[in-house]
């Protein structure tokens, strides 16, 4: 007891961005001042954090915010972690995949897994839960990224659903929606 640390974590969750462009019904970001809890992490700080670790094999680059709001720092961070042989995943609301070729950039960055949050099988339920969203744009963006992955012959995306009172009656429909959006 009281000696040096014998180990550090092998997995980390790192929140580069705490802000979000949605105000989802089940998410605490909706109640934060200006929809964020902190300033964005700078790439230099991310690199320093990674460099100070030993034994890290996996990171999730997302906390409560929408990571695509981090723009180029987001991609730099993925590429740096991958250069250190760290497995990287992130979570997105898919609202920004069509902007600036983000759907290509995220796959081309070397990211291992992109979890896409889909919490309703129709416009009414989805937009009720994911306040500030446009259901049709999310569906279109999911098809865009999944078509790109399919053309490359890679599997990088997963559809995730927070099951709750407002959508639990749609579980069967969500499976069909996932298929329509070309999720594997």
């Amino acid at each position: 007891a009281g000696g040096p640390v014998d180990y550090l974590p092998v997995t980390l969750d790192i929140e580069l961005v705490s802000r979000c462009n949605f105000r989802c019904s089940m998410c605490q970001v909706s109640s934060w001042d200006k929809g964020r809890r902190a300033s964005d992490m700078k790439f230099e700080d991310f690199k320093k954090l990674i460099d100070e670790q030993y034994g890290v094999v996996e990171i999730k680059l997302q906390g409560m915010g929408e990571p695509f709001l981090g723009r180029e720092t987001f991609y730099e961070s993925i590429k740096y972690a991958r250069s250190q042989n760290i497995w990287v995943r992130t979570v997105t609301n898919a609202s920004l995949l069509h902007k600036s070729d983000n759907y290509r950039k995220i796959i081309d960055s070397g990211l291992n897994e992109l979890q896409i949050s889909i919490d309703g099988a129709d416009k009414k339920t989805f937009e009720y839960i994911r306040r500030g969203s446009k259901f049709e744009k999310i569906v279109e963006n999911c098809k865009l990224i999944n078509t790109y992955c399919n053309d490359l012959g890679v599997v990088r995306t997963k559809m995730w659903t927070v099951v709750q009172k407002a959508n639990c009656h749609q579980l069967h429909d969500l499976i069909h929606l996932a298929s329509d959006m070309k999720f594997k």
Side-chain angles (χ1 to χ4, degrees), residues 138-156:
I138 303 303
V139 169
E140 181 182 313
N141 284 351
C142 288
K143 288 179 181 178
L144 191 66
I145 194 167
N146 286 326
T147 298
Y148 185 62
C149 287
N150 292 342
D151 290 348
L152 293 176
V154 298
V155 177
R156 297 289 182 272

Side-chain angles (χ1 to χ4, degrees), residues 69-97:
L69 292 172
R71 297 187 177 92
E72 294 309 313
T73 298
F74 179 46
Y75 298 114
E76 282 182 277
S77 300
I78 294 167
K79 289 175 185 174
Y80 186 73
R82 294 297 298 133
S83 77
Q84 303 302 305
N85 297 311
I86 298 171
W87 191 89
V88 182
R89 69 183 161 109
T90 193
V91 180
T92 183
N93 62 31
S95 64
L96 302 172
L97 292 177

Side-chain angles (χ1 to χ4, degrees), residues 107-173:
I107 300 305
D108 296 347
S109 72
L111 183 81
N112 298 94
E113 183 178 291
L114 180 65
Q115 299 170 348
I116 301 177
S117 300
I118 305 293
D119 293 326
D122 59 37
K123 180 178 178 65
K124 182 180 176 186
T125 304
F126 187 90
E127 292 181 6
Y128 171 78
I129 294 171
R130 296 249 162 212
R131 295 187 304 241
S133 68
K134 298 287 181 236
F135 179 71
E136 297 85 359
K137 180 51 76 178
I138 303 303
V139 169
E140 181 182 313
N141 284 351
C142 288
K143 288 179 181 178
L144 191 66
I145 194 167
N146 286 326
T147 298
Y148 185 62
C149 287
N150 292 342
D151 290 348
L152 293 176
V154 298
V155 177
R156 297 289 182 272
T157 64
K158 289 186 177 178
M159 187 177 110
W160 283 60
T161 301
V162 177
V163 178
Q164 50 199 287
K165 186 184 284 188
N167 67 9
C168 65
H169 65 285
Q170 295 187 327
L171 296 181
H172 190 262
D173 295 332

Side-chain angles (χ1 to χ4, degrees), residues 42-105:
K42 295 181 176 95
F43 175 71
E44 296 75 28
D45 294 330
F46 172 82
K47 185 178 182 299
K48 183 176 185 287
L49 174 64
I50 294 299
D51 290 348
E52 289 173 349
Q53 306 302 311
Y54 62 89
V56 169
V57 295
E58 178 184 336
I59 61 172
K60 179 177 71 136
L61 283 181
Q62 192 264 345
M64 296 308 304
E66 171 52 47
F68 282 93
L69 292 172
R71 297 187 177 92
E72 294 309 313
T73 298
F74 179 46
Y75 298 114
E76 282 182 277
S77 300
I78 294 167
K79 289 175 185 174
Y80 186 73
R82 294 297 298 133
S83 77
Q84 303 302 305
N85 297 311
I86 298 171
W87 191 89
V88 182
R89 69 183 161 109
T90 193
V91 180
T92 183
N93 62 31
S95 64
L96 302 172
L97 292 177
H98 65 289
K99 300 235 182 221
S100 305
D101 278 340
N102 281 331
Y103 74 96
R104 289 179 190 266
K105 287 180 188 174

